[in-house]
Amino acid sequence: MKRYIDKLKDFNELVMFEHSIFSLPFIFIAMIVAADGWFGFTLLILGVFAALSARNFAMGLNRFADRDIDAQNPRTASRPNVDGRLDSTSIFLFTAINGFVFIAVAYLINPLAFYLSFPILFILGSYSYFKRFSSLAHVILGLSLGLAPIAGVVAVSAEITPWSVLLSFGVMFWVAGFDLLYSLQDIDFDKEKGLHSIPSKYGEEATLLLSALFHALAILFWALFVWVAGLGFFAYNAIILSMFMLGYEHYLVRKDFTKIDRAFFTVNGYLGILFFILIVMDKVLG
């Protein structure tokens, strides 16, 4: 039994399950707005399974594709995909199973969700290879998580609404912005190995400026989402709070690069949760 528990822990470490906190709130924000309130336990369960299987697929493929790179990077050399805890076959099967689960769950939700599940998986998988030939990898990662609100709306109403696209653009620029900050940790390694990242190509200061621009765009698109969706007081406060939290994130990183992990995990994790809570309050109390 202990062996199986340890193996589960290894897979959990492989995909960093706790990072699901970045996409889940925005899926449910979209579902709440689309349903104009509670969307039901069935969609809640299916939504959780769809979100987690999609993310496990993306992370599993990323770890599978990056085995050679992770093994050479001191920051990632202790990951389960390179230190012998998980072999390549296990990671590949894990990835394939989660891709199948995502498609199956999408089929159970509605026909549009099923048809969109295939291009969504393609986009999620493409991120793993982009860094080998393009600095746009940061934007592709943002797009991958930015699809979450659209998926949430499709699950509830079987359509893609204008406000969901605006919300998705906000998530895309938010994620791309904080991924730029996170990638500053690997700037020297990426230069040495010829990997295409914005920090390694344009330097630290340009990366910080571009990240700030992306986060400004995230705030703009979130504000447009709130306006187009016809939300109220609490939703606008979510935008204001997000603006201050992202400003604090940039303050932390500029002050001390060793605070990148704190900025990445703590600030962004709380941002999604608080955004979600305020949207719920807007629907309940607005």
Side-chain angles (χ1 to χ4, degrees):
M1 176 63 81
K2 183 179 183 300
R3 189 180 69 161
Y4 291 111
I5 293 174
D6 289 342
K7 192 63 68 176
L8 286 174
K9 289 179 180 178
D10 292 338
F11 276 111
N12 178 63
E13 185 180 340
L14 179 78
V15 300
M16 294 184 289
F17 183 79
E18 63 274 14
H19 289 189
S20 301
I21 198 170
F22 297 135
S23 59
L24 277 173
F26 286 94
I27 291 174
F28 292 125
I29 286 169
M31 294 174 78
I32 286 169
V33 175
D36 197 24
W38 177 233
F39 44 80
F41 283 106
T42 300
L43 279 181
L44 173 65
I45 295 169
L46 291 174
V48 168
F49 271 103
L52 295 183
S53 59
R55 190 182 178 282
N56 286 344
F57 169 84
M59 289 299 298
L61 184 58
N62 181 253
R63 296 292 184 254
F64 179 83
D66 282 0
R67 300 186 312 282
D68 56 334
I69 296 173
D70 287 347
Q72 300 174 63
N73 188 342
R75 186 177 66 82
T76 59
S78 61
R79 286 176 174 172
N81 59 321
V82 294
D83 67 3
R85 282 178 286 164
L86 294 173
D87 59 72
S88 299
T89 301
S90 297
I91 297 171
F92 181 82
L93 288 174
F94 172 83
T95 303
I97 289 169
N98 275 280
F100 175 79
V101 169
F102 177 70
I103 293 170
V105 172
Y107 178 81
L108 293 174
I109 291 174
N110 60 51
L112 181 58
F114 174 68
Y115 296 139
L116 290 177
S117 65
F118 298 97
I120 286 174
L121 286 181
F122 176 79
I123 293 171
L124 293 177
S126 66
Y127 164 71
S128 300
Y129 298 96
F130 247 81
K131 71 180 75 174
R132 288 164 169 78
F133 61 86
S134 173
S135 299
L136 288 175
H138 310 283
V139 178
I140 297 300
L141 178 63
L143 175 61
S144 297
L145 272 74
L147 293 170
I150 290 178
V153 171
V154 168
V156 172
S157 57
E159 63 177 345
I160 299 175
T161 60
W163 60 259
S164 69
V165 175
L166 294 170
L167 178 58
S168 291
F169 271 116
V171 173
M172 181 184 76
F173 283 114
W174 168 53
V175 172
F178 71 63
D179 186 61
L180 284 171
L181 298 180
Y182 191 71
S183 63
L184 286 168
Q185 298 176 102
D186 293 328
I187 185 170
D188 293 329
F189 177 80
D190 290 346
K191 286 180 180 178
E192 179 186 342
K193 300 301 178 182
L195 297 174
H196 296 267
S197 70
I198 285 175
S200 67
K201 188 171 184 179
Y202 299 105
E204 294 175 3
E205 192 58 36
T207 300
L208 290 168
L209 288 172
L210 186 58
S211 175
L213 173 62
F214 278 3
H215 282 161
L217 288 171
I219 295 298
L220 172 62
F221 278 109
W222 282 339
L224 289 171
F225 148 68
V226 169
W227 176 57
V228 173
L231 301 177
F233 173 78
F234 291 103
Y236 281 106
N237 273 276
I239 307 305
I240 295 171
L241 180 63
S242 297
M243 181 173 63
F244 280 107
M245 293 183 76
L246 291 177
Y248 178 62
E249 178 178 355
H250 283 267
Y251 165 77
L252 285 176
V253 175
R254 282 184 172 274
K255 184 179 179 182
D256 185 356
F257 274 11
T258 64
K259 298 291 194 301
I260 287 178
D261 273 357
R262 180 181 172 190
F264 182 78
F265 298 116
T266 308
V267 176
N268 290 298
Y270 279 120
L271 186 153
I273 293 171
L274 293 173
F275 203 122
F276 169 75
I277 290 172
L278 286 166
I279 296 298
V280 171
M281 290 176 66
D282 198 79
K283 283 297 177 183
V284 173
L285 302 175

